[in-house]
Amino acid sequence: MMRYVIIGAGPAGLAAVEAIREVDVEGEIALLTMEDVPAYSKPLITYLLGKKVQEKNMLYRTREFFDEHRVEVRTGAEVVRVDTDSNMVYLKNGESLSYDRLLIATGGAPFKPPIEGLEKEGVFTFTRWCDEKDMAEYIERNGVHEAVVLGGGLIGLKTTEALMELGIKVHIVELADRILAATFDKKASEIITRALEREGCEVHTNDTVVQVKGGKRISRVILKSGKEIKTRLLVVAIGVTPNVGFLRDSGVRLGRRGIMVDDRMRTSISNIYAAGDCTEVLDESTGEWRTIAIWPIASAQGKVAGYNMAGREVRYQGGIPMNSVELAGIPTISVGCTNVEGDDVEILKYEDPSSSVYKKLVIKNNKLIGAVFVGDIDRAGIYTGLITHGVDVSTFKDALLDEGFGLIYLPKEYRKKLIEGELKVWLE
Amino acid sequence: MVRIDASGLHYKELNETIRKLVDEGEKEIILDNVCGQRYIGCGLRGNDIKIEIVGTPGNDLAAFMDGATIIVRSNAQDGTANTMNRGKVIIHGDSGDITGHSMRGGRIYVKGNAGYRVGIHMKSYKNNFPVVIIGGFVRDFLAEYMAGGLLIVLGLETDESGNVVGNFVGTGMHGGELYIRGTVAEHQLGKEVKIHRVTDEDSNRIIPYLSEFCDDFGFSLDEILKKEFVKLKPYTHRPYGRLYAY
Amino acid sequence: MGCRLCEIHCITAHSKSKNIIKVFRYEVPQPVPSVIVEEKEYTTFAIQCRHCEDAPCIQACITGAMHRDPDTNAVHVDHEKCVGCWMCIMVCPFGAIQRGTVEKKVASKCDLCVDREIPACVENCPNEALVLVEVSE
Amino acid sequence: MAKRRAPSEFIVERDEYKCIRCLACVRMCSYEANFYDERENMVFTDNSKCVGCHFCEAICPTDAIRVIHNPLAIKQNAHWTGEVVSDIIKQAETGGVLLASMGNDKQHFSYFDRIILNASQVTNPSIDPLREPMEIRTFIGRKPESVDLEVENGSVLLKTEITPQLKLEVPIMFSAMSYGSISLNACKSLAKAAQMMGTFFNTGEGGLHKDLRQYGANMIVQCASGRFGVDMEYLNAGAAIEIKIGQGAKPGIGGHLPGEKVTEPISETRMIPVGTDAISPAPHHDIYSIEDLRQLIYALKEATRYEKPVGVKISAVHNVAPIASGIVRAGADFVVIDGIRGGTGATPKVIRDNVGIPIELAIAVVDQRLRDEGIRHLASIVVAGGIRNSADVIKAIALGADAVYIGTAALVSLGCHLCQKCYTGKCNWGIATQDPKLVKRLNPEIGARRAANLLRAWALEIKEMLGGMGINAIESLRGNRDQLRGVGLSEYELKLLGIKPAGEAW
């Protein structure tokens, strides 16, 4: 009987559980998580902070899920070492477990830059439920009404939004010349910036925090530009980095940042697999291998890893960065390459300034490679499909941004494949 | 090759015999002593089948025929190649009324003269293109309702009044082309057709058929081309537009 | 045939009053129809959730709101759990999920009219163009 | 000068409370009569464009629409009716022949309504069709003079060779309606219904669409003067061949499918180029006499090796009895007679409404003539032209028909509301149109089901009526005019119909 050990109870780990059970009903599955609760949704912590979600709804898979799938769940189990010779994982508490197949789905950890004073009370990163608990408690206790968020990416902005929900005035500090520079194009950033400003948020671009002042507790921050902001709360949200420190001497090969995997999600060690934010994935939109920390890719990779671990050979074709987020009441979606320019690239745009609606499509070699939707995201998934499935759009390019655009414009062949469910994220 | 003596045979018997032979794979059949038996080759299918008729076949020769070749050594009667789809009928004598009625494809070559309403309602469709060539003269209502195909009258013989064609030529014609070797007077024409000069392009198109016709009957193409042709075409392929109140 | 009555009946079936005239006269906002009629030249079709076997919306859902009903295998949204992040809208290649309009802003999609025997769109299609097909695995 | 419009025949009324502005009526009206005004947020109708097809009324989800007759469109006048005046206005505008569709809609030709049926009381028992076998199967084709039988090992063998027959499980067929005059979906509906019910549909003279080929066993192919789409494949495709000489809606005149209606698919089945007029000349150019007709009948029989019945369809005209006799003598296996109420996709109105004779009289005189001449068995008689219900069917059979053709009734079962605008090609019901957008409004599955249901229903009713008369086989009713009585008919009409007046005993 096969013994599966999965490290990490995020979307990758859970998708792997589902996939393994589809193929292997017998094997033992142990799921390790360093958190106190398995299968809670990390993206929801900003909603929890902003009181848009109740605690009971933080779990995206319930206790019954683990019973149904017969998974032995170990919470508070932080893995410190993997011994690939003896097929053992060692936990911080001194326990060890043996495995036949191991999945590393440890996700990412927040990146903390070397800034003076960062150890002070009132400085937070914000990626885990415990961060939310701590921060909520801190805000309550200290009556915070002004905060600085370092980092104008998605986590930073969702945190900003949550803080604003609590009536806190937020300063966003972003090193780049605009917020959301990594995911959106300039125009989209502008629309979001304006919307945030309208709601009372201050956005400082081309700037960063260089020093955190205060006693034991933060009282103000000093920016590179020399500006000083009085605050009792600093949230550092400048990105996450793969959580792979425990693999240092294991022999599992790492790339520039994350774990290197093949198209079956196998690492350099043949019975060890990896999936999710801790891996480097083939970015189909650029052809580069890099970490793309997004939920759909984590689920897909977890599923592929699970199938392969259980003996069903499927191949992952790579993923495309994509994000969907509603900020300041404006829904936005960004898929694939949205920031490219050049002679070989054709850009289609639609703008309606009166309603903050903005849409942009990026076409290269007759294929859609990127899409931005701001304000109106209706049926955006159709475009995502065209991007991920590499559909030639030359015959209906002119209609792409028409009001009635839909499946009816797509090639019959493609439509048929879609409807028959032939297009999956993996290949048999 | 099989020879059948048709004398005294009812058409039903004769045609049944022909069909049976064709079903068995016979490709060439010669019918002797044919005397008025109708429907010879009616509905016959198959490109490589050849039937030679010695004697005089009856009406509806080669009606609905689809592919075969029929050679008549003497005269044919009315309804020759009625609604024929493909194939070829070669008549060494005269042919009767409504020769080529409603035919949609194939060829009819008549060495002698032909009767009334020759080529009536002939039509063409895609690869189906009917061609009728009459060596001598024809009677009234030539090419009536004609909707497609090619019809040529050579006038190697003329009628009692020296005409190549009768009156009401091309009445109701709304498609196809009609060539007459010699002249035709305005009063002989139906109101839907107009006389045109024959262009080089036209000549190039019809010469292959004429040369085949000459080969079949031993005429000289050069002799035939010595005399000028006129071309008749309909004014419109919609002769009855603007007729109704909607 | 492009009459769009499926949309009308979908809205009615998911409205408060369930009365076709009242919905359109008094209910603001109206539910969004989960069946979308597309038209181009001579082609028309109605598209709604296909309840995909390997549903990308379930894979992408960060709350677990999008789930498969174990009994019917249909894909449903738990409106209480949904927070309106629109990940599902981003990944549905049919464009069959929409932003809901009534009360909380949550994903809205075809629920096969769980409280009816036959979905409203199927029952009311004048040309029987919409049919309910059960796919057994 | 500005165009003067004929007054609107219909008024579309909309209940403002019920109208939910779903715009289904706007989207669906092919005549563009309904329109939406955004500023007013109201749906309006240009009544002059309404043809009275009732499609919007049927599609409206809240039942908010009523299409009603405009009562005072034209001042009432018994002689100068609204129709007469409107026609004059139209002709004054256009100078053209008035076109009309479907059958004659004038009141004065129905003998069916003046004929009543008999039933058994006391002196002879009626039959309960629910409990006892009731035979309504019939065969179309030539019947032998006599039948030779041989008994071999206790079983009876038929020695006489029977010429090809069509077996009808119900004595009702779908009459000739070409692909072109009606949509492919309408053709498919009828073809499938014919297959389901064990009867036949007729291709009409427009050739055969490839999708209909699979219904060959239930199909009659037509060969008309235009010979459109007629080739060997076509002639062999069906179970029988019908030579069309005439049609009840337009006796004596030809057909004309205007070039703009000859689209790619139509061109393919008719085998003529796209956009050319498809002209069916009034006569067949090879038929100027009964002898010529015989020639075509036998040419078709020769071409199809005597494997199929060949029939001839004529319209009912003054001389119908002798003509029918000639047709039978010319070798036809069945004669089709189409009466003055016969339908059409397009015909000059003046012809439709004024030429021909009622089918009831035609059946009676033809049946009688053939009997008198002793040739009734040589061919079956199929009648058409305004058969509306099972009573009409049974009366037609009692007057002497073997079976009937239904056209209009079949189309009504598919959805037709008799707006009589087939010639416009804009049929909202998807029947008499080639516009792909409109065609698909008729789902052939639904159409087939409905048309088959109609036949099933009529078959049941026919059995009830037969049972009531104490007759257990439709064959025993054929020409059994004793079962009929006339009401309010003149002595001479009764004589022609061969029936006694109501009240007179056997």
Side-chain angles (χ1 to χ4, degrees):
Chain A
M1 194 165 58
M2 194 68 80
R3 182 167 167 80
Y4 305 93
V5 172
I6 296 168
I7 312 174
L14 294 201
V17 167
E18 281 173 1
I20 291 170
R21 275 290 172 255
E22 250 183 64
V23 183
D24 180 355
V25 290
E26 303 267 296
E28 286 178 13
I29 303 176
L31 183 77
L32 312 180
T33 171
M34 62 197 287
E35 311 262 354
D36 301 332
V37 185
Y40 78 84
S41 172
K42 286 190 174 186
L44 285 187
I45 61 171
T46 61
Y47 294 84
L48 187 62
L49 181 68
K51 300 200 165 64
K52 283 181 164 171
V53 160
Q54 291 173 286
E55 279 202 14
K56 63 169 180 153
N57 285 334
M58 286 296 286
L59 305 186
Y60 69 95
R61 291 291 183 275
T62 54
R63 190 66 239 173
E64 293 84 61
F65 173 86
F66 297 106
D67 294 342
E68 256 167 49
H69 289 79
R70 288 184 297 104
V71 180
E72 177 198 345
V73 182
R74 293 205 187 189
T75 51
E78 185 178 347
V79 176
V80 289
R81 191 165 70 85
V82 177
D83 184 336
T84 54
D85 294 327
S86 60
N87 292 342
M88 297 288 281
V89 293
Y90 294 91
L91 307 185
K92 199 174 181 180
N93 65 7
E95 282 181 60
S96 60
L97 283 93
S98 70
Y99 62 83
D100 296 314
R101 299 270 189 281
L102 177 67
L103 175 68
I104 303 165
T106 47
F111 180 68
K112 275 194 171 185
I115 298 170
E116 197 190 323
L118 219 52
E119 72 295 338
K120 288 187 198 306
E121 202 188 331
V123 178
F124 291 86
T125 56
F126 200 64
T127 60
R128 296 168 59 182
W129 196 344
C130 52
D131 298 334
E132 190 277 333
K133 280 182 184 154
D134 294 347
M135 195 152 98
E137 196 252 345
Y138 176 86
I139 290 168
E140 178 77 35
R141 186 156 37 88
N142 294 293
V144 175
H145 42 74
E146 195 147 357
V148 173
V149 172
L150 176 58
L154 288 170
I155 300 178
L157 294 184
K158 281 310 279 184
T159 308
T160 300
E161 200 177 41
L163 292 171
M164 294 198 311
E165 289 283 334
L166 299 176
I168 297 170
K169 176 176 169 87
V170 183
H171 296 265
I172 298 167
V173 179
E174 167 62 52
L175 188 59
D177 61 350
R178 58 188 170 93
I179 57 168
L180 292 168
T183 33
F184 283 98
D185 71 343
K186 211 169 151 196
K187 180 79 201 171
S189 296
E190 249 174 58
I191 295 171
I192 301 297
T193 306
R194 267 206 312 274
L196 287 169
E197 285 172 349
R198 253 201 312 275
E199 307 217 336
C201 178
E202 244 175 83
V203 181
H204 310 265
T205 52
N206 293 312
D207 214 344
T208 188
V209 173
V210 290
Q211 204 182 4
V212 179
K213 294 273 193 185
K216 190 168 163 255
R217 205 176 60 191
I218 172 175
S219 63
R220 60 199 162 96
V221 296
I222 297 173
L223 306 188
K224 197 177 77 182
S225 60
K227 277 187 243 174
E228 265 190 48
I229 305 168
K230 270 178 84 174
T231 180
R232 286 193 192 162
L233 178 64
L234 169 64
V235 184
V236 178
I238 55 173
V240 289
T241 178
N243 206 351
V244 292
F246 66 99
L247 292 172
R248 217 163 296 133
D249 304 314
S250 63
V252 172
R253 204 152 85 217
L254 302 181
R256 276 184 305 162
R257 299 177 67 192
I259 302 166
M260 290 177 69
V261 287
D262 66 8
D263 60 358
R264 294 185 161 78
M265 294 293 121
R266 197 155 35 182
T267 67
S268 56
I269 308 291
S270 68
N271 63 342
I272 299 184
Y273 295 76
D277 297 0
C278 62
T279 65
E280 288 191 1
V281 58
L282 175 68
D283 180 345
E284 277 193 298
S285 63
T286 59
E288 274 173 54
W289 285 82
R290 63 185 189 95
T291 56
I292 308 177
I294 61 166
W295 190 288
I297 290 186
S299 306
Q301 287 186 319
K303 195 147 192 178
V304 171
Y307 281 141
N308 282 295
M309 288 165 75
R312 179 177 166 195
E313 288 206 359
V314 303
R315 284 180 292 120
Y316 184 58
Q317 300 168 77
I320 278 169
M322 54 177 91
N323 281 291
S324 166
V325 66
E326 187 161 317
L327 289 166
I330 301 174
T332 65
I333 282 176
S334 147
V335 183
C337 299
T338 55
N339 273 321
V340 287
E341 274 167 18
D343 294 342
D344 55 346
V345 170
E346 192 179 342
I347 309 273
L348 306 178
K349 274 187 192 175
Y350 170 83
E351 269 179 71
D352 179 4
S354 64
S355 60
S356 335
V357 171
Y358 169 61
K359 296 181 187 188
K360 174 168 120 173
L361 299 176
V362 185
I363 296 169
K364 189 175 173 178
N365 298 330
N366 292 326
K367 286 181 180 171
L368 201 59
I369 60 162
V372 176
F373 302 91
V374 178
D376 175 7
I377 58 165
D378 284 355
R379 314 199 80 190
I382 296 176
Y383 303 89
T384 309
L386 294 176
I387 297 172
T388 44
H389 301 130
V391 180
D392 187 322
V393 299
S394 49
T395 53
F396 54 94
K397 200 162 64 184
D398 296 341
L400 277 170
L401 284 179
D402 281 2
E403 200 180 336
F405 181 77
L407 298 174
I408 208 154
Y409 288 85
L410 310 186
K412 237 184 177 165
E413 223 13 48
Y414 173 67
R415 220 159 55 202
K416 207 175 141 213
K417 277 189 185 167
L418 262 190
I419 286 181
E420 284 171 5
E422 283 175 31
L423 298 167
K424 300 182 175 172
V425 288
W426 69 82
L427 295 171
E428 293 283 339
Chain B
M1 194 204 72
V2 179
R3 288 191 92 104
I4 302 172
D5 183 0
S7 52
L9 285 183
H10 185 264
Y11 71 77
K12 211 170 159 180
E13 254 175 297
L14 174 64
N15 292 329
E16 189 51 44
T17 313
I18 296 170
R19 282 197 290 267
K20 221 177 240 161
L21 284 169
V22 170
D23 284 348
E24 287 161 6
E26 188 53 55
K27 301 292 179 200
E28 200 176 336
I29 302 167
I30 299 177
L31 309 176
D32 289 315
N33 303 316
V34 172
C35 186
Q37 283 98 340
R38 290 178 172 184
Y39 316 121
I40 295 174
C42 179
L44 201 59
R45 310 183 77 171
N47 292 341
D48 46 358
I49 292 158
K50 196 168 123 186
I51 296 176
E52 193 172 334
I53 298 171
V54 184
T56 304
N59 290 356
D60 273 357
L61 171 75
F64 305 108
M65 193 168 81
D66 196 8
T69 299
I70 293 183
I71 301 164
V72 182
R73 289 293 165 199
S74 53
N75 297 335
Q77 306 298 307
D78 297 345
T80 297
N82 189 347
T83 323
M84 179 164 93
N85 205 46
R86 271 177 322 134
K88 187 174 175 185
V89 181
I90 302 164
I91 298 164
H92 284 265
D94 296 342
S95 184
D97 296 348
I98 61 168
T99 296
H101 169 221
S102 278
M103 76 190 272
R104 192 184 301 112
R107 279 156 290 166
I108 308 173
Y109 294 163
V110 180
K111 187 176 184 181
N113 310 312
Y116 293 84
R117 294 181 280 141
V118 170
I120 186 166
H121 218 313
M122 257 168 78
K123 42 181 117 32
S124 70
Y125 178 65
K126 290 196 169 163
N127 294 331
N128 284 355
F129 183 76
V131 178
V132 176
I133 304 178
I134 310 293
F137 64 86
V138 297
R139 299 291 185 184
D140 296 349
F141 295 108
L142 172 69
E144 191 181 14
Y145 282 116
M146 182 167 165
L150 175 64
L151 220 164
I152 304 173
V153 182
L154 296 178
L156 299 172
E157 278 179 60
T158 52
D159 69 8
E160 305 78 3
S161 1
N163 285 327
V164 175
V165 295
N167 291 324
F168 310 110
V169 174
T171 303
M173 182 171 171
H174 54 289
E177 291 176 334
L178 172 56
Y179 292 88
I180 295 164
R181 183 169 165 274
T183 50
V184 55
E186 204 58 54
H187 71 84
Q188 289 175 286
L189 301 183
K191 64 182 189 297
E192 288 83 7
V193 288
K194 205 161 100 175
I195 299 179
H196 293 257
R197 263 199 43 202
V198 178
T199 64
D200 289 348
E201 210 179 298
D202 294 335
S203 306
N204 292 339
R205 202 163 49 247
I206 67 171
I207 282 175
Y209 297 111
L210 288 175
S211 109
E212 189 187 354
F213 178 88
C214 291
D215 289 348
D216 284 338
F217 297 118
F219 288 118
S220 150
L221 180 64
D222 292 340
E223 259 335 288
I224 281 175
L225 291 180
K226 268 182 193 158
K227 198 163 175 182
E228 256 191 69
F229 285 69
V230 292
K231 175 181 169 186
L232 296 177
K233 266 187 74 172
Y235 284 100
T236 165
H237 63 281
R238 300 282 320 273
Y240 307 118
R242 236 202 125 256
L243 194 62
Y244 301 110
Y246 281 96
Chain C
M1 59 201 238
C3 64
R4 295 183 173 249
L5 287 188
C6 47
E7 297 181 348
I8 300 294
H9 288 285
C10 181
I11 291 172
T12 307
H14 294 92
S15 68
K16 260 188 240 137
S17 63
K18 317 269 183 218
N19 175 308
I20 185 165
I21 295 173
K22 287 184 185 162
V23 185
F24 289 92
R25 286 190 78 87
Y26 308 120
E27 285 187 28
V28 179
Q30 285 161 10
V32 280
S34 337
V35 51
I36 300 162
V37 175
E38 293 195 14
E39 266 181 279
K40 187 188 156 215
E41 287 155 23
Y42 299 130
T43 328
T44 318
F45 55 68
I47 188 89
Q48 64 268 76
C49 172
R50 309 283 311 166
H51 302 275
C52 306
E53 197 188 312
D54 185 46
C57 56
I58 298 181
Q59 298 257 325
C61 180
I62 62 168
T63 65
M66 198 67 80
H67 65 283
R68 190 178 299 283
D69 185 307
D71 300 329
T72 62
N73 259 335
V75 177
H76 291 295
V77 195
D78 181 338
H79 286 191
E80 203 202 320
K81 289 188 99 178
C82 177
V83 295
C85 73
W86 317 130
M87 290 286 274
C88 49
I89 293 182
M90 177 174 72
V91 297
C92 174
F94 299 101
I97 308 175
Q98 284 163 289
R99 297 198 294 151
T101 46
V102 179
E103 293 171 29
K104 210 172 135 204
K105 275 198 197 168
V106 295
S108 162
K109 63 178 280 302
C110 170
D111 59 359
L112 293 172
C113 286
V114 275
D115 47 355
R116 299 169 66 109
E117 207 168 308
I118 302 167
C121 55
V122 174
E123 197 180 321
N124 289 294
C125 177
N127 209 20
E128 290 175 28
L130 290 166
V131 286
L132 181 65
V133 184
E134 280 196 43
V135 183
S136 51
E137 282 187 62
Chain D
M1 201 180 92
K3 189 175 162 144
R4 263 181 290 168
R5 275 185 181 147
S8 310
E9 205 178 340
F10 305 97
I11 298 173
V12 178
E13 284 187 346
R14 212 169 259 100
D15 181 329
E16 269 316 313
Y17 178 79
K18 285 178 168 178
C19 176
I20 58 170
R21 280 71 167 159
C22 71
L23 310 192
C25 58
V26 175
R27 273 192 289 273
M28 292 289 100
C29 181
S30 62
Y31 297 92
E32 295 171 345
N34 300 318
F35 62 96
Y36 176 64
D37 187 300
E38 209 160 341
R39 229 193 71 176
E40 301 288 329
N41 184 30
M42 293 258 275
V43 181
F44 296 99
T45 300
D46 177 349
N47 288 327
S48 69
K49 290 181 177 169
C50 177
V51 300
C53 77
H54 296 269
F55 194 82
C56 55
E57 197 174 315
I59 201 90
C60 176
T62 60
D63 206 15
I65 296 176
R66 285 281 162 279
V67 179
I68 57 167
H69 207 261
N70 185 356
L72 281 176
I74 305 279
K75 185 182 171 298
Q76 275 191 343
N77 183 318
H79 189 66
W80 297 94
T81 61
E83 184 187 348
V84 168
V85 176
S86 292
D87 285 353
I88 292 174
I89 294 173
K90 259 186 245 170
Q91 293 193 303
E93 292 283 353
T94 63
V97 174
L98 288 168
L99 276 183
S101 299
M102 302 308 288
N104 184 322
D105 53 13
K106 301 295 167 289
Q107 231 185 26
H108 47 275
F109 292 120
S110 185
Y111 283 89
F112 281 133
D113 292 343
R114 298 190 168 205
I115 297 174
I116 45 183
L117 295 168
N118 191 34
S120 306
Q121 298 293 305
V122 185
T123 55
N124 54 337
S126 49
I127 303 169
D128 180 355
L130 297 177
R131 287 189 297 106
E132 294 182 57
M134 189 63 68
E135 184 68 64
I136 58 165
R137 176 186 292 170
T138 194
F139 291 86
I140 300 297
R142 174 169 294 230
K143 307 299 184 293
E145 296 283 340
S146 60
V147 176
D148 289 337
L149 300 173
E150 197 174 84
V151 182
E152 211 179 272
N153 301 328
S155 56
V156 182
L157 297 176
L158 182 65
K159 294 293 284 177
T160 313
E161 204 181 308
I162 308 281
T163 54
Q165 307 277 325
L166 296 179
K167 182 167 93 177
L168 273 58
E169 297 298 344
V170 286
I172 306 159
M173 302 188 284
F174 298 124
S175 55
M177 286 174 279
S178 69
Y179 168 53
S181 72
I182 60 172
S183 67
L184 185 59
N185 281 356
C187 293
K188 281 183 186 167
S189 301
L190 298 180
K192 203 172 268 194
Q195 192 183 50
M196 286 158 76
M197 295 306 296
T199 183
F200 294 82
F201 77 104
N202 188 313
T203 60
E205 59 171 303
L208 179 60
H209 190 280
K210 57 184 186 306
D211 290 359
L212 297 174
R213 229 167 260 170
Q214 55 175 306
Y215 301 103
N218 296 87
M219 177 168 81
I220 299 172
V221 299
Q222 215 180 39
C223 173
S225 66
R227 302 283 157 92
F228 296 115
V230 177
D231 64 4
M232 283 313 296
E233 215 166 290
Y234 174 78
L235 294 175
N236 281 321
I241 300 170
E242 182 176 287
I243 297 168
K244 179 199 167 181
I245 302 289
Q247 183 178 341
K250 39 180 161 179
I253 70 162
H256 174 204
L257 186 68
E260 62 265 16
K261 292 192 183 177
V262 180
T263 57
E264 184 63 48
I266 300 287
S267 111
E268 208 172 304
T269 55
R270 301 216 168 193
M271 300 187 193
I272 50 168
V274 174
T276 52
D277 282 4
I279 297 167
S280 288
H284 285 246
H285 297 301
D286 47 356
I287 305 175
Y288 286 8
S289 65
I290 289 291
E291 166 54 21
D292 284 351
L293 175 65
R294 181 184 180 81
Q295 188 174 308
L296 182 60
I297 290 171
Y298 277 90
L300 290 167
K301 287 189 175 190
E302 281 282 333
T304 54
R305 305 189 168 193
Y306 297 88
E307 283 165 2
K308 298 167 199 301
V310 175
V312 177
K313 177 177 180 177
I314 52 167
S315 29
V317 288
H318 303 174
N319 222 16
V320 66
I323 296 167
S325 162
I327 291 170
V328 175
R329 289 168 193 282
D333 297 296
F334 59 97
V335 185
V336 183
I337 304 164
D338 196 5
I340 190 165
R341 286 179 175 278
T344 180
T347 184
K349 190 174 182 210
V350 67
I351 304 266
R352 183 194 76 177
D353 292 351
N354 297 286
V355 184
I357 65 169
I359 191 62
E360 301 89 323
L361 292 167
I363 306 167
V365 297
V366 168
D367 178 65
Q368 197 55 50
R369 177 76 173 234
L370 299 184
R371 280 173 199 275
D372 291 348
E373 293 181 3
I375 56 171
R376 178 64 183 84
H377 63 288
L378 293 183
S380 298
I381 301 174
V382 180
V383 302
I387 305 283
R388 301 159 295 179
N389 49 39
S390 58
D392 287 355
V393 175
I394 216 157
K395 289 171 191 173
I397 291 173
L399 282 171
D402 287 80
V404 304
Y405 261 138
I406 57 168
T408 303
L411 297 188
V412 171
S413 80
L414 302 186
C416 168
H417 276 53
L418 281 167
C419 72
Q420 303 181 310
K421 290 287 184 290
C422 314
Y423 60 86
T424 62
K426 288 192 199 169
C427 176
N428 267 320
W429 293 90
I431 300 168
T433 177
Q434 302 305 321
D435 179 341
K437 252 186 160 150
L438 300 174
V439 170
K440 66 181 185 183
R441 294 186 188 178
L442 176 58
N443 177 342
E445 296 294 327
I446 303 178
R449 192 171 64 220
R450 295 178 65 91
N453 272 342
L454 180 72
L455 295 190
R456 190 172 294 120
W458 287 15
L460 289 170
E461 291 176 343
I462 288 170
K463 287 177 183 176
E464 290 286 351
M465 286 183 279
L466 282 177
M469 294 180 220
I471 294 174
N472 65 3
I474 196 89
E475 301 274 327
S476 310
L477 181 73
R478 190 191 313 123
N480 188 347
R481 299 186 205 177
D482 269 343
Q483 300 299 332
L484 306 175
R485 289 292 183 272
V487 179
L489 296 173
S490 72
E491 203 175 334
Y492 201 80
E493 284 168 319
L494 289 168
K495 189 182 150 210
L496 283 173
L497 288 165
I499 60 175
K500 296 187 175 80
E504 191 169 337
W506 302 118

